[in-house]
Amino acid sequence: MKVYGLIGYPLGHSFSKKYFSEKFLKEKVNDSRYENYPLDDINKLTAVINDNPDLRGLNVTIPYKQDVIAFLSEMDVTAETIGAVNCIKIYRDGEHPRLKGYNTDVIGFRESLLNMIGNERPRALVFGTGGASKAVLYGLKELGIDYKVVSRKKREEIVSYDDVTEETIKEFKLLINTTPLGTFPETQESVEIPYDAVTNEHFLYDLVYNPAETEFLRKGRIKGAMVKNGYEMLILQAEAGYKIFCE
């Protein structure tokens, strides 16, 4: 029996086990199953790999998309360029397991965003600097979209939330939240920006998918903006991960 799974912490919010289990059933893949591996310390990954000899692949979620790189044997070009991994294929054809990292977040984000903005290429504000943000920035570059990154601390090429004024919002029509703010159960949280400057010319994209409408998206919707959560991105990146597992 081939085993696949998810690492991260916590994993109560994750949809992966249900999705992949149903995918295996639908595709009649009878020799595979999917498990969750909640790790409160990334260093426990080695034990997971060694203690589960049938493990052939892992998805990676918050907060380990960057930390997991230290455990890999290799990465594909996209993951190496981005500097974040959310999918690992495990090869056991030698004495020691060989782990190869991929980033399917960029595939999911790019295709999902295109379904929202079509041929438009508005300038983007990207909130957050974690592993998911790195995939978003890579996708924006691929689409030729100019962007600015916003974080709590101002540093080289990154502005702080204090720098985001109403004029900034008017200039950047695509607002993307890559932070976990607003995720269940802390649903009242959102990035602190001047939402009064949001108009019906804006697009608000939130990588959070639980709840379906975050506070970030709600504030955009009531100002007339087009809004979208991260569920379609999640599906698209999972489909890409499934292909990697089964190839």
Side-chain angles (χ1 to χ4, degrees), residues 42-222:
I42 188 60
N43 291 305
K44 294 180 179 179
L45 175 60
T46 301
V48 170
I49 301 295
N50 293 336
D51 294 346
N52 296 275
D54 294 327
L55 193 60
R56 294 294 184 272
L58 289 168
N59 293 117
V60 185
T61 190
I62 293 172
Y64 298 134
K65 293 183 180 184
Q66 297 173 54
D67 294 342
V68 77
I69 292 174
F71 296 82
L72 304 179
S73 306
E74 60 180 312
M75 290 186 283
D76 80 337
V77 174
T78 301
E80 189 168 8
T81 303
I82 293 172
V85 165
N86 75 315
C87 183
I88 299 170
K89 187 161 185 176
I90 303 172
Y91 297 89
R92 296 183 182 268
D93 49 7
E95 184 178 351
H96 301 290
R98 181 166 56 90
L99 280 61
K100 183 173 182 178
Y102 300 83
N103 192 302
T104 64
D105 278 339
V106 66
I107 298 172
F109 170 73
R110 184 185 64 234
E111 300 308 313
S112 178
L113 182 66
L114 281 175
N115 289 339
M116 182 188 196
I117 65 174
N119 294 323
E120 295 192 45
R121 295 295 182 269
R123 299 184 73 191
L125 283 180
V126 180
F127 306 110
T129 57
S133 173
K134 293 180 183 299
V136 165
L137 300 184
Y138 189 91
L140 293 176
K141 287 177 184 177
E142 287 187 319
L143 296 174
I145 294 176
D146 182 40
Y147 63 81
K148 189 178 291 292
V149 181
V150 184
S151 184
R152 285 172 293 182
K153 293 183 179 180
K154 184 174 184 177
R155 49 193 187 276
E156 186 177 358
E157 297 185 356
I158 297 176
V159 302
S160 72
Y161 286 96
D162 291 336
D163 295 320
V164 180
T165 65
E166 290 194 358
E167 289 302 315
T168 310
I169 298 296
K170 291 176 182 178
E171 183 180 353
F172 292 81
K173 295 295 197 298
L174 173 58
L175 311 180
I176 304 171
N177 177 44
T178 73
T179 79
L181 288 173
T183 305
F184 180 85
E186 307 297 334
T187 58
Q188 297 306 308
E189 296 182 346
S190 65
V191 292
E192 295 184 10
I193 58 173
Y195 290 95
D196 284 344
V198 173
T199 69
N200 59 7
E201 295 181 351
H202 281 81
F203 301 89
L204 271 67
Y205 190 106
D206 199 332
L207 269 62
V208 175
Y209 61 91
N210 181 19
E213 184 179 72
T214 59
E215 186 69 3
F216 174 74
L217 295 183
R218 186 191 70 81
K219 289 176 178 177
R221 176 180 56 78
I222 63 177

